[in-house]
Amino acid sequence: MGNISSCCESCFHGRRSQSYEPLLLENEREAVADLLQYLENRTTTNFFTGSPLTALTTLSFSDNVDLQRSAALAFAEITEKEVRPVGRDTLDPILFLLSSHDTEVQRAASAALGNLAVNTDNKLLIVKLGGLEPLIRQMLSPNVEVQCNAVGCVTNLATHDDNKTKIAKSGALVPLTRLARSKDMRVQRNATGALLNMTHSDENRQQLVNAGAIPVLVSLLNSPDTDVQYYCTTALSNIAVDGANRKKLAQSEPKLVASLVMLMDSPSLKVQCQAALALRNLASDEKYQLEIVKAEGLISLLRLLQSTYLPLILSSAACVRNVSIHPQNESPIIESGFLQPLINLLSFKDNEEVQCHAISTLRNLAASSEKNKTAIVKAGAVQSIKELVLEVPMNVQSEMTACVAVLALSDDLKGQLLEMGICEVLIPLTNSSSSEVQGNSAAALGNLSSKDGRSASDDYSAFNEVWDKPDGGMHKYLFRFLSSPDATFQHIAVWTIVQLLESGDPQLISNIRSSNLLISNIRNLASSRTSSPASSVGTPRSHHSHGQSYQETETGEGQGEIQLLGRRILDFVDGDGDGIIPSSVTGSHVQPGSSVASSSGRDHEELRRSVREAFAPSSHR
């Protein structure tokens, strides 16, 4: 506060020099005297009300520049020590000082306003009272100190959602973007911080793009300043949320991915984290999924994935999940050593989102390759799922059961999965409160029961062992699905029963044939002409999936296929026991989240094809 006192004293030097005294008005002389007195007792004086504020206001509105400087400096240092909600009577004199032509007054007034703008109520009132216009003028000042304070104030104002659109429409974005290239690091930090604060809504992001912010933000990724790197990386991450912006980035910024990959090795943890998140958002598009791998981003992502710092683990896991969506990236990810770290994260109970990203990535890696499925099982993924799946949150259960359903598509792995006892945890989950968990678990059981090339050596004893247990076993699960009002569940049940009957296992055939619960429901479905409602079960499809979902077919035609399957079962169980389920309805697989496609009236081969297509191997997501 010494600066304030000395400034006030020099301005009021005329109290001792009569030659200066006539330059001051009577009320100004009184205000200076009062202010000097209040400054002597500054620790106990409230400058935001009463006589102290009146004295400051008088000096602020003076025509004497020296007095304005005293008032501006006083406001700056007072607000640096204490910030509280203030009213118009405090802001009006500061805003008046902000419009001064004197550089020193501008600098101090903008500093005071920036300090007050830390308070939420003040942020709104400053904009409401027209504070943006003089701040924009000061951003255009040739004086670096004025620029720095003005931009810092706008940065604070932009943290309030109600102000963002007003700032975007005020014309502030163009000077902010220009000042982001300032040679003064303080101005750069404040400007990039302000640009970041403007990226939290679709409309404002578009305004920023239109103001030319993208090339500036990308170029500043190479800044030597950690804060500037962080602000720019985070801003670009937010901008990359929008598909249209990702397209612009792809067209105009060829070095973006390489810069972000480099920043994943920054000494700053927060920069590493934001770089991974920016790549995650970019990896919503195919082009970037491939480019991240090409730029050797997997090396850094693997390192971050094995960090002990949760934000790094979460951001890298989310990025790898998106990168794994592209089929061409499956093998590179596995070959880079991700399997064991991903499996380790399945038990990361501190964060459900990390678990979801890890298991979804494993599912994606298994989608297109028998070799990859085998590698995932060999690495211990299924054993970990079996140990964890009954205890993890429901969202993780859904992803885990979907992953098992994909792995169970492999004829070579079905025996191993059954030997591991995976049915023991899948069966209880068919009675989950989540329809997705129910459907994915049933899809996994169905895929385990199906084989394209059956042989006499196929062992179906695992299904006999779980016929009545746990939780009522396969028997009760099939009964629940057959009697469900959901046509998708009905279809999975009759389709699975067809697979079990085709196995030729005498005990299974006897169990099914002797079950009044199953056969009575199958008879109802085989004779029913009423369409059952369908639901979307399991996980969403991605653009890689070409099979129809139940919701994309005529419900009546879907019901027709259930009738056909039911009749095939009845033809078998009502026969002499030596019949074989026609091959026209066997040998296909169940995809989590899918059901039968429309094919009523087709011949047996067409029916077989339609079931195979609808229950195609799971797509990436």
Side-chain angles (χ1 to χ4, degrees), residues 480-499:
R480 285 195 306 272
F481 273 49
L482 287 172
S483 56
S484 169
D486 190 315
T488 303
F489 284 5
Q490 294 169 9
H491 181 274
I492 292 176
V494 293
W495 183 84
T496 301
I497 291 171
V498 166
Q499 309 310 307

Side-chain angles (χ1 to χ4, degrees), residues 65-109:
V65 173
D66 288 330
L67 296 185
Q68 288 184 354
R69 288 175 183 168
S70 294
L73 285 168
F75 274 124
E77 294 203 21
I78 290 165
T79 56
E80 188 175 342
K81 300 291 184 182
E82 179 184 11
V83 173
R84 63 172 70 182
V86 298
R88 182 166 191 158
D89 51 351
T90 299
L91 290 177
D92 274 346
I94 298 176
L95 291 174
F96 179 81
L97 292 170
L98 206 63
S99 299
S100 170
H101 296 293
D102 183 78
T103 299
E104 186 62 22
V105 174
Q106 292 175 5
R107 184 195 66 77

Side-chain angles (χ1 to χ4, degrees), residues 178-233:
R178 182 178 65 82
L179 290 176
R181 293 185 184 274
S182 171
K183 294 180 180 179
D184 186 277
M185 194 56 67
R186 298 169 303 161
V187 176
Q188 239 188 57
R189 287 193 199 108
N190 285 346
T192 51
L195 293 176
L196 166 59
N197 288 340
M198 296 299 297
T199 61
H200 298 294
S201 74
D202 295 342
E203 181 181 359
N204 294 337
R205 284 194 290 269
Q206 191 54 52
Q207 296 269 16
L208 271 179
V209 172
N210 294 342
I214 283 180
V216 175
L217 292 169
V218 173
S219 68
L220 289 174
L221 292 177
N222 298 318
S223 168
D225 186 77
T226 298
D227 287 333
V228 172
Q229 289 178 349
Y230 173 75
Y231 296 147
C232 292
T233 306

Side-chain angles (χ1 to χ4, degrees), residues 278-467:
L279 289 169
R280 185 273 305 268
N281 288 340
L282 291 173
S284 299
D285 291 352
E286 254 187 33
K287 174 189 182 299
Y288 283 115
Q289 291 161 10
L290 292 170
E291 192 173 337
I292 290 167
V293 174
K294 185 178 179 181
E296 300 184 351
L298 293 179
I299 299 172
S300 298
L301 286 170
L302 180 59
R303 180 179 57 78
L304 300 188
L305 197 71
Q306 297 172 292
S307 164
T308 57
Y309 182 51
L310 176 57
L312 283 182
I313 299 170
L314 185 56
S315 60
S316 57
C319 185
V320 173
R321 176 181 181 172
N322 279 5
V323 171
S324 71
I325 290 173
H326 201 292
Q328 292 181 30
N329 289 339
E330 292 174 18
S331 294
I333 291 173
I334 291 177
E335 291 164 4
S336 295
F338 276 84
L339 283 187
Q340 200 57 59
L342 287 169
I343 292 170
N344 293 342
L345 290 179
L346 298 184
S347 57
F348 197 88
K349 297 180 180 179
D350 293 339
N351 190 281
E352 173 183 340
E353 196 174 350
V354 168
Q355 292 176 299
C356 280
H357 289 321
I359 188 61
S360 296
T361 303
L362 290 170
R363 177 192 174 190
N364 287 344
L365 297 178
S368 302
S369 163
E370 289 295 306
K371 178 182 176 182
N372 292 346
K373 288 182 177 68
T374 300
I376 290 168
V377 173
K378 185 177 180 180
V382 175
Q383 191 59 44
S384 292
I385 290 171
K386 183 189 173 187
E387 293 170 0
L388 296 166
V389 71
L390 295 179
E391 301 176 0
V392 294
M394 194 173 292
N395 287 337
V396 185
Q397 286 181 338
S398 179
E399 299 288 352
M400 285 184 169
T401 50
C403 183
V404 174
V406 174
L407 294 171
L409 292 167
S410 170
D411 283 354
D412 294 337
L413 295 175
K414 295 179 196 290
Q416 293 182 49
L417 300 181
L418 290 171
E419 287 176 10
M420 290 178 186
I422 194 67
C423 294
E424 296 171 9
V425 294
L426 291 174
I427 287 170
L429 292 173
T430 62
N431 199 26
S432 166
S433 58
S434 163
S435 62
E436 284 197 358
V437 175
Q438 290 181 52
N440 291 346
S441 302
L445 289 166
N447 287 345
L448 289 168
S449 71
S450 167
K451 246 193 172 185
D452 278 340
R454 296 187 189 273
S455 67
S457 62
D458 289 338
D459 184 3
Y460 276 74
S461 60
F463 290 102
N464 290 318
E465 292 170 4
V466 294
W467 184 254

Side-chain angles (χ1 to χ4, degrees), residues 24 127 196 328 451 478 515 541:
L24 299 182
V127 174
L196 166 59
Q328 292 181 30
K451 246 193 172 185
L478 291 169
S515 171
R541 297 170 179 268

